[in-house]
Amino acid sequence: MTTPVIRTLDESSAHLFDTMPDPLGFRDRHRQTRYRPDWQRIAVRDGRTVARAAWWGRPEDPEPLLINWFDVAEGEEEAGAALLRTAPWPTDELELDLPAGWRSEVRQRAAADVRAAAARAAGYTPLVERFVYRWTADRSVPERPGRLLFTAEPDDTVFFDLLRRIHSVTLDAHARRAIEQGGPDRAAQQELDVFHWFPSPRAWWQIARTPGGETVGIHIPARNPSGSCVGFIGVVPEQRGHGYAYDLLAECTHFLVAQGARSIAAATDRTNLPMAAHFTAAGYPVVRERITFWSDGGVSAG
C-alpha cells in the first residue's frame, strides 16, 4: 500500500474536497457553511481521496476555531489521523455531526466508528455527545410566558459574574472541563470569549429579571459564520426549578426572528435533560447528534 499524499487545498483545488462518498450526510449538514479552501485538507492514496477535514471559523480569523467536517474511508483510519496530526493549526476541538438516530442504522454506525477511531488515533478523546437542533420559519415561534423582563447590559463584568454563578452548578461538559482546568473564572472567560467571537452585535446580549428585579439569567442571541444561533442560555442556580430556561429560549427565538432569522441553530448536551425538554417544547427538532472530541493544546505536528 502506498503512502497517502496529504495536501492543503486552495481556490484552484477546492473541488477535490468533494471527491469522497458522503454516507453521514455531511454535505447536507453543512450546506449553509462557508469554508475557506486553505482550511480544507485531503489525504489521497493511489489517486483516491481517502480522508478529508475542514476547519471552521470566521473568514477574518488568523486560525480556525475547530474542525467540524472529518471524513475517513473504511480502513483508512491512520490516513485520517495523519491528516489531522500534520495540520498547521493546533485545534483543540473536533465535532462529528452525525444523523439523528445513527446508532440504529448499521452503515451509519460503522461509518461513525471509523471516523471516531481516526480522531482517537490523532490524539482526540470524546468529551460529550450533544443534540443539535434547528428551528425553521415553517414552525410557530414559541409563545413568550411573560414572566420575565429582558434588558441589554453593556458591562462585560456583569455577564462575567453571572456566568461564574451559572457555572458554579452546571451540567455542561465544556464548562465542567474548564472548571477542572482553571476554576469558574476560566469557564466564565471562555464563554465570554465565544460571545465576543460571534460576528453579531454585542448589544444583543440580554439579562433576564423577574418583575421584582431578581436576576434570573442570561440569553445570547447570535449569528455565527453559518447563520443565526442560540449562543447561550443560562439560569443562575437559585432561580432553577421554575422552568425559566424555556422563557429565555422563547425570548431568544423571538429576538432572532425579529432580526430576520429564517432558521436558528442550537445545541445542548444529551445529559442536560431539562434543557433538551425545553428545546422540544419550544419547537426545536433534533436534526443531528454531535460527538465532540477534545485535545488539550490541540493536535498538530505541522
Side-chain angles (χ1 to χ4, degrees):
M1 183 179 291
T2 61
T3 301
V5 176
I6 297 173
R7 60 180 296 188
T8 300
L9 304 180
D10 56 25
E11 292 287 352
S12 65
S13 59
H15 64 281
L16 297 176
F17 194 82
D18 295 323
T19 56
M20 276 188 73
D22 188 22
L24 295 172
F26 289 157
R27 172 60 59 193
D28 181 66
R29 164 66 181 95
H30 295 298
R31 64 187 182 278
Q32 295 180 320
T33 309
R34 298 293 177 264
Y35 292 106
R36 284 173 43 171
D38 57 323
W39 285 354
Q40 295 179 306
R41 311 186 85 220
I42 61 172
V44 179
R45 192 192 304 275
D46 297 328
R48 182 172 70 98
T49 301
V50 297
R52 60 182 172 180
W55 283 251
W56 178 80
R58 299 178 306 179
E60 68 270 25
D61 287 343
E63 292 188 345
L65 183 69
L66 52 81
I67 306 163
N68 69 355
W69 187 327
F70 182 48
D71 258 335
V72 184
E74 184 177 356
E76 294 288 355
E77 290 89 343
E78 182 49 43
L83 180 71
L84 300 182
R85 284 196 300 262
T86 59
W89 317 285
T91 311
D92 293 331
E93 194 163 358
L94 183 153
E95 296 175 346
L96 287 182
D97 277 5
L98 305 171
W102 61 274
R103 282 189 172 88
S104 61
E105 210 286 324
V106 174
R107 292 182 61 187
Q108 290 179 356
R109 181 164 187 164
D113 287 346
V114 169
R115 288 147 184 79
R120 288 188 179 94
Y124 287 94
T125 57
L127 173 65
V128 66
E129 293 192 29
R130 311 196 83 201
F131 290 125
V132 179
Y133 303 89
R134 183 169 294 279
W135 177 91
T136 51
D138 58 325
R139 294 176 171 271
S140 60
V141 182
E143 184 178 349
R144 289 177 168 118
R147 299 185 294 174
L148 302 176
L149 303 176
F150 296 89
T151 57
E153 169 54 61
D155 187 350
D156 275 13
T157 62
V158 175
F159 281 96
F160 183 85
D161 290 341
L162 287 171
L163 285 164
R164 290 184 82 259
R165 290 165 60 186
I166 290 165
H167 286 325
S168 66
V169 181
T170 182
L171 296 173
D172 184 88
H174 286 80
R176 292 170 71 172
R177 184 183 188 88
I179 290 168
E180 289 173 2
Q181 295 175 330
D185 282 6
R186 177 164 182 167
Q189 189 59 56
Q190 284 187 357
E191 297 286 7
L192 272 181
D193 290 345
V194 172
F195 297 171
H196 279 294
W197 177 85
F198 288 130
S200 44
R202 165 66 175 79
W204 287 9
W205 306 6
Q206 291 193 331
I207 294 177
R209 296 181 176 88
T210 66
E214 295 178 356
T215 299
V216 168
I218 66 175
H219 77 99
I220 309 296
R223 289 195 190 108
N224 64 34
S226 299
S228 299
C229 64
V230 177
F232 186 84
I233 299 288
V235 176
V236 295
E238 63 269 24
Q239 295 285 0
R240 292 174 189 169
H242 305 289
Y244 283 141
Y246 178 87
D247 301 49
L248 271 66
L249 177 58
E251 186 65 24
C252 192
T253 306
H254 276 268
F255 188 101
L256 289 168
V257 168
Q259 302 302 318
R262 302 289 296 169
S263 69
I264 302 170
T268 197
D269 294 2
R270 286 180 64 103
T271 52
N272 192 341
L273 299 180
M275 195 66 227
H278 292 316
F279 275 114
T280 298
Y284 280 72
V286 175
V287 293
R288 306 287 286 189
E289 295 180 24
R290 174 179 299 161
I291 304 176
T292 296
F293 294 80
W294 193 269
S295 176
D296 291 324
V299 170
S300 176

